[in-house]
Amino acid sequence: MSEMAKLQLGDRQLELPVIEGSEQEHAVDISALRAQTGYITIDEGYVNTGSTQSAITYLDGENGILRYRGYPIEQLAVNCDFVEVSYLLIYGELPTRQQLDEFRQKLRRHTLLHEDMSAFYDGFPRDAHPMAILSSTVSALSTFYQDSLDPRDDEQVELCIYRLIAKLPTIAAYSYKKSIGQPFIYPQNNLNYCQNFLRMMFAVPCEPYEIDCDFVDALNLLLIVHADHEQNCSTSTVRMVGSSNANLFASISAGICALWGPLHGGANEAVIRMLEDIRDNGGNVKKYVDMAKDKSSKVRLMGFGHRVYKNYDPRATIIKDVCNRLLKKRNIPDPIFEIAQELEEVALSDDYFIERKLYPNVDFYSGVIYRAIGIPMDMFTVLFAMGRMPGWIAQWLEMHRSESKRIARPRQIYTGEKERQFKPLDQR
Ligand code: CMC
């Protein structure tokens, strides 16, 4: 018989089943709690609450382990390209050569945006944040591609998946081109995913554009390490919106908004702003660390700390290594990278960070690579969204295919006024 947890509520004792995951993680199943007792649980920020069982990504924050579908992130990062990892996340297995070729082919057929969508970009102010453009445009895909909206129709969902993965680089690059007043560059489908994106970002019609293979490799790796991270804020948003049977475009658009926040994906942009600020104020790293420790300052060390990792984020290890190799190989000295490493060293030897187990996270070094590639700061989180797309899709699909799927609808404990009588305006 499986393990049971005992809950004492006054003089009543309740037995609650314990669920065990494939890596021996344990959860107390409270799904019958309210029906049996009238009580609910409260857990702000979901610090102790599992929202689902999932077979996609395994994360062990204490030991710094991250695996997609059982494969360690370190192995995927050196052996795969992003499209292959996307297939793995979405369909559950590494593809055969034929499956991969077919998948690539399908993505290639969907890289173009409906021509009328380019008019959208004229409506946004030139200095609009590209994350706002991204979420709006992804949401607007549901106006142009109405043949792929039904979440209960597998063929429509499949089409929607190709469209999302294939069009995101085009949407992203167009927002950059608009912001700098250059013409849009159409996708070129004989190029691979990252080559195509870099060309759409940086080519101009009047000059030949040579794609830099070091940048392609670095970008590919960054997309892979961002591809999924189980039930984080944006993924939970995608699931929550999807749980109402909203279409996949709408669900992903909501996830993009959640990712934008500086406590989540927006941290990669905030890190570089912080490092530049330190540089511009004389490079005093210690002073900044002291400010981050001072609660009254409201300053946090961006790119540091994580809800789940209480150890070095394995993605940060991979990214830091790429930073080192790329900057050395291409001889791109970046004082920002020097400051980042110094900041890490000071923080990691400080009791405040040691006691709280705060380590660099995925966002701490990624911006250094984006800078080296020439990607502007406000596009960093857009790149995160491009990487996270297969994870969001996989999680949305898993939720829809689950036998136990229900609309996500948390409860609350009401703390407001008790019933009171309405007062007409002239008596208030
Ligand atoms: N700098 C200074 N203090 C910190 C930091 C930080 N970056 N992160 C956490 N703390 C402190 C926090 O003040 C608290 O201290 P105390 O126990 O004295 O009150 C303690 O550490 C625990 O922090 P928390 O806010 O309760 O932890 P959380 O799990 O709710 O928040 C976090 C996690 C990632 C939002 C937070 O660490 C943070 O704000 N980090 C900076 C932003 C950042 O880098 N975000 C990217 C996260 S990784 C990628 C992603 O999710 O997109």
Side-chain angles (χ1 to χ4, degrees), residues 174-385:
Y174 278 19
S175 68
Y176 174 57
K177 286 301 196 193
K178 180 71 196 176
S179 74
I180 54 169
Q182 287 185 3
F184 298 148
I185 301 290
Y186 283 121
Q188 192 174 300
N189 288 347
N190 61 340
L191 298 176
N192 72 29
Y193 197 80
C194 293
Q195 290 170 332
N196 211 355
F197 174 67
L198 289 178
R199 185 178 160 278
M200 286 190 287
M201 282 285 289
F202 299 120
V204 282
C206 43
E207 277 174 20
Y209 175 72
E210 209 169 299
I211 298 167
D212 186 311
C213 54
D214 289 332
F215 291 173
V216 169
D217 289 348
L219 182 59
N220 181 58
L221 188 131
L222 280 174
L223 295 181
I224 290 175
V225 299
H226 284 92
D228 194 48
H229 213 235
E230 49 117 306
Q231 310 312 317
N232 55 81
C233 177
S234 56
T235 302
S236 300
T237 303
V238 170
R239 278 185 178 257
M240 180 168 268
V241 174
S243 78
S244 73
N245 287 353
N247 71 68
L248 184 53
F249 294 130
S251 309
I252 298 284
S253 166
I256 292 170
C257 291
L259 185 74
W260 189 8
L263 296 186
H264 191 11
N268 54 15
E269 185 181 332
V271 168
I272 297 296
R273 290 193 197 285
M274 171 186 79
L275 296 173
E276 287 187 347
D277 192 42
I278 295 174
R279 179 198 60 194
D280 297 345
N281 285 293
N284 191 340
V285 163
K286 173 85 176 49
K287 192 171 130 203
Y288 209 92
V289 168
D290 287 342
M291 269 189 330
K293 286 157 50 177
D294 175 4
K295 302 281 184 216
S296 65
S297 76
K298 302 252 186 290
V299 169
R300 281 199 164 193
L301 217 52
M302 299 313 284
F304 252 77
H306 197 276
R307 171 61 60 77
V308 184
Y309 290 120
K310 301 300 164 202
N311 200 327
Y312 214 99
D313 182 336
R315 302 167 300 173
T317 312
I318 296 173
I319 294 172
K320 186 179 176 186
D321 182 49
V322 178
C323 275
N324 260 320
R325 282 188 284 126
L326 184 71
L327 299 191
K328 239 180 231 146
K329 181 171 178 202
R330 302 302 302 271
N331 196 19
I332 320 175
D334 188 348
I336 289 293
F337 185 41
E338 307 297 324
I339 294 174
Q341 291 178 95
E342 212 186 311
L343 190 62
E344 178 192 333
E345 208 182 307
V346 173
L348 291 187
S349 54
D350 189 296
D351 282 347
Y352 174 97
F353 291 85
I354 296 170
E355 278 158 20
R356 290 169 180 76
K357 298 191 172 137
L358 302 170
Y359 291 86
N361 59 48
V362 68
D363 294 315
F364 195 63
Y365 287 109
S366 59
V368 178
I369 303 185
Y370 294 140
R371 272 162 64 91
I373 296 176
I375 290 171
M377 217 180 328
D378 62 1
M379 287 289 289
F380 290 179
T381 316
V382 171
L383 271 284
F384 193 151

Side-chain angles (χ1 to χ4, degrees), residues 104-150:
R104 285 193 206 288
Q105 198 49 36
K106 297 222 169 88
L107 295 182
R108 284 202 175 103
R109 288 207 40 218
H110 291 283
T111 53
L112 268 180
L113 278 191
H114 191 293
E115 200 61 17
D116 291 347
M117 286 197 84
S118 51
F120 274 40
Y121 290 82
D122 293 331
F124 295 118
R126 188 152 284 188
D127 60 354
H129 197 286
M131 282 300 275
I133 297 181
L134 192 71
S135 66
S136 318
T137 313
V138 167
S139 182
L141 291 174
S142 47
T143 66
F144 283 89
Y145 301 100
Q146 297 181 25
D147 58 346
S148 55
L149 299 184
D150 186 350

